[in-house]
Amino acid sequence: MPLQLTVSDDVRAIAPDFHHIAVEAYGLVNTPSTDETSALLDDAARRLAARLDGRAPHEDPHMVAWRAAYTAFGAKPNRTRNSAEALAKRALADGGLPRINTLVDVYNAISVAHLVPVGGEDLGHIKGGMRLVRATGTEDFVTVASGEPAVEHPDAGEVVWCDDEGVTCRRWNWRQGTRTRLTDTSVDALFLLEGMGPHAGLEQAGAELAELLQKFSPGARLVVHPAA
């Protein structure tokens, strides 16, 4: 049965222009970062710099729209950046983007090159369907604090992705939980590309992501869902 993803009416009310594309991938092979994935990240940073043409990431129209959405649910965008803006800042800094593993490198490269938030979840650890909702504040969010496993709770009204067991990503796409993140043992994954407005470019980004996943895992089976 395909994974069910839903967006609550409460979220639609504060961000009516929000849409997402989901890519389900089965039979992936995850490895440590390689020279090829490192080059992919470097190229993404060059593509980002060309797109921005001297502007800061937060000045891009797509990031302006994301900042408005964050403000609408009470987050402070200067302190809590969406994942694409945060990655873009790192990509343009002297240290560049981190090298994590093949799957994370691939979706980070897509996020930076297209300036869209992209996340990856291990389908083997998702419980039930995934929902984008405004939190009650009682949900569990499994994370790491001071190097040790910890359970936090989102703020009431915060926009979160969650499944039947708890929150998988806080503040929309700001911080992913450890329970469902991709690891070296991940073989089946869900990739989420998120956009604000009609010109976010999710279709092109999703197609490029699918192409790269197929390249690095030639035997994988992919299901690309249309924008919703």
Side-chain angles (χ1 to χ4, degrees):
M1 178 181 293
L3 183 71
Q4 297 296 313
L5 290 102
T6 57
V7 179
S8 73
D9 290 342
D10 286 347
V11 173
R12 294 285 187 198
I14 63 170
D17 288 336
F18 171 73
H19 56 292
H20 66 275
I21 284 178
V23 179
E24 291 181 62
Y26 300 90
L28 296 166
V29 177
N30 203 6
T31 68
S33 300
T34 64
D35 289 344
E36 198 167 5
T37 63
S38 184
L40 193 66
L41 290 167
D42 288 339
D43 182 61
R46 286 190 289 269
R47 291 167 66 183
L48 171 68
R51 170 183 175 138
L52 292 174
D53 193 24
R55 294 174 299 170
H58 71 267
E59 295 175 304
D60 183 271
H62 193 213
M63 297 298 95
V64 171
W66 269 106
R67 282 179 162 236
Y70 268 51
T71 300
F73 72 81
K76 293 182 170 62
N78 282 333
R79 208 163 61 186
T80 305
R81 294 180 173 88
N82 72 79
S83 65
E85 184 182 327
L87 268 182
K89 283 180 65 67
R90 294 192 71 172
L92 298 174
D94 289 341
L97 289 165
R99 275 56 173 164
I100 308 296
N101 56 52
T102 294
L103 294 180
V104 175
D105 289 355
V106 164
Y107 80 69
N108 278 350
I110 293 297
S111 177
V112 168
H114 294 270
L115 204 51
V116 298
V118 183
E121 307 283 355
D122 190 317
L123 280 170
H125 296 291
I126 294 173
K127 308 301 182 184
M130 289 188 64
R131 302 174 297 281
L132 187 66
V133 302
R134 300 197 70 176
T136 64
T138 62
E139 299 90 345
D140 287 346
F141 176 70
V142 180
T143 186
V144 173
S146 302
E148 297 294 330
V151 176
E152 298 176 353
H153 304 285
D155 299 328
E158 182 181 322
V159 175
V160 298
W161 279 103
C162 62
D163 64 3
D164 290 351
E165 193 165 308
V167 173
T168 58
C169 199
R170 285 196 61 187
R171 295 180 190 167
W172 219 312
N173 46 50
W174 167 67
R175 179 183 292 168
Q176 184 185 33
T178 55
R179 175 170 58 88
T180 59
R181 69 184 176 186
L182 297 174
T183 68
D184 57 0
T185 62
S186 298
V187 292
D188 301 330
L190 172 75
F191 299 91
L192 271 176
L193 300 89
E194 301 180 285
M196 293 286 174
H199 304 298
L202 294 194
E203 289 78 9
Q204 183 181 355
E208 187 175 343
L209 173 62
E211 182 180 335
L212 287 172
L213 291 173
Q214 204 74 71
K215 174 183 177 180
F216 287 100
S217 294
R221 178 172 65 88
L222 304 181
V223 180
V224 181
H225 298 275

